[in-house]
Amino acid sequence: MAKYTTGEAAKLCGVTVRTVQYYDARDILKPSELSEGGRRLYSGADIRRLRIICFLREAGLSINSISDLLSESDPGSVINTLLDEQERILCDEMTERQARLDRVEGIRRELKRVENFSVESLGDIAYTMENRKQSRQMHMIMLLAGIPMATMEWGAVILWIVTGIWWPFALYALMIVPFGVWIMRFYRGRVGYICPECHEVFNPSMKQLFCSRHTPAMRRLICPHCGYQGFCVEIYKKERKNNNA
């Protein structure tokens, strides 16, 4: 029966000699015998056991888990359970890493919008990204509320053009004014803007909010704190911790 030294066993399984010695020290891979000179000698069965250990380690199982597993008389069901658990852990790690990657990519996108980068502007970006989900939900509510009004508008216009009946359009015009006031108040009550100059959060007047140029994420405003005039970053408004706290 063939016998293998520690170095030969390590080479056959693609691991280091130190790894084989470590498994011996942890009592999960004892050599079948020792030579007269005290050298470890491994049998073919030991090599197969070492390959199983290496496979389970590559799957992410801990030494303690492998030790418990190999001590079982029928390890098959235990292996499946351990692998299922390890798969769940790895999936959770992948989800977390993907979330981190998304945050990094989001920060890169936001940094491209910042003209003069500073530590404070990075804080503004972090705060904005934390509120992105709530901001999207608010915009979705506004969109869903606006779709029926837009449908009524086009229906009234088409009816007027095709049939000459104008009163539905006049009725729509009477409805759109209070609706517009409500939607702007709803919007203003839930958003704030970060000044890129002094990094303070402020609320613009209804006039500024209605008349200013804007993008989905920014609006051209006048900061009431420092007088800056330019694009300010929109955030979903909630109490913001003081930067000096």
Side-chain angles (χ1 to χ4, degrees):
M1 182 180 293
K3 299 293 180 180
Y4 305 91
T5 65
T6 302
E8 291 169 339
K11 186 175 181 179
L12 285 170
C13 295
V15 295
T16 65
V17 171
R18 188 179 295 275
T19 298
V20 179
Q21 294 171 341
Y22 175 69
Y23 292 158
D24 183 7
R26 293 298 303 269
D27 293 328
I28 62 173
L29 181 70
K30 288 294 185 182
S32 296
E33 61 182 87
L34 297 175
S35 68
E36 293 182 0
R39 299 179 65 187
R40 298 176 179 86
L41 295 176
Y42 296 91
S43 66
D46 295 332
I47 298 301
R48 288 191 294 274
R49 185 181 177 93
L50 177 57
R51 288 193 173 118
I52 292 172
I53 293 170
C54 293
F55 167 75
L56 294 175
R57 286 295 288 156
E58 289 178 0
L61 271 67
S62 68
I63 294 295
N64 290 336
S65 296
I66 294 173
S67 178
D68 293 340
L69 173 63
L70 294 179
S71 66
E72 293 286 330
S73 57
D74 181 18
S77 60
V78 181
I79 287 179
N80 284 330
T81 302
L82 285 171
L83 291 179
D84 287 344
E85 178 63 14
Q86 188 60 26
E87 181 181 10
R88 183 191 65 77
I89 292 172
L90 292 174
C91 287
D92 289 345
E93 290 178 355
M94 289 173 61
T95 300
E96 182 179 351
R97 288 178 180 273
Q98 184 60 52
R100 290 180 181 178
L101 180 60
D102 292 342
R103 284 196 290 271
V104 169
E105 291 175 349
I107 290 172
R108 286 188 182 276
R109 288 194 299 269
E110 296 293 338
L111 282 175
K112 292 178 180 179
R113 301 176 181 177
V114 178
E115 295 181 1
N116 299 313
F117 175 76
S118 65
V119 175
E120 289 82 3
S121 61
L122 185 58
D124 293 342
I125 290 170
Y127 183 70
T128 302
M129 292 179 66
E130 287 176 1
N131 291 273
R132 186 62 52 82
K133 182 178 180 180
Q134 295 94 326
S135 181
R136 287 175 178 171
Q137 290 175 345
M138 180 198 61
H139 287 141
M140 182 59 67
I141 291 172
M142 293 177 62
L143 177 63
L144 293 176
I147 287 175
M149 298 304 295
T151 302
M152 290 173 59
E153 176 187 12
W154 284 105
V157 169
I158 292 172
L159 182 66
W160 190 1
I161 294 173
V162 173
T163 66
I165 301 174
W166 57 269
W167 66 262
F169 183 79
L171 180 62
Y172 166 80
L174 293 174
M175 294 173 58
I176 194 61
V177 173
F179 174 79
V181 172
W182 173 82
I183 202 71
M184 289 302 292
R185 288 185 179 277
F186 171 85
Y187 183 58
R188 184 173 182 269
R190 285 163 177 77
V191 298
Y193 291 87
I194 301 177
C195 172
E197 189 69 27
C198 67
H199 308 283
E200 292 288 341
V201 176
F202 67 94
N203 287 101
S205 65
M206 286 291 288
K207 181 179 179 181
Q208 280 195 82
L209 196 65
F210 185 78
C211 300
S212 58
R213 290 175 53 199
H214 64 91
T215 71
M218 297 183 294
R219 190 174 292 268
R220 192 173 185 85
L221 299 167
I222 300 174
C223 175
H225 299 285
C226 67
Y228 166 83
Q229 299 185 38
F231 280 105
C232 299
V233 179
E234 182 182 289
I235 59 169
Y236 184 84
K237 188 171 62 177
K238 68 176 183 178
E239 185 178 353
R240 189 188 190 195
K241 293 181 180 180
N242 193 303
N243 290 334
N244 297 322

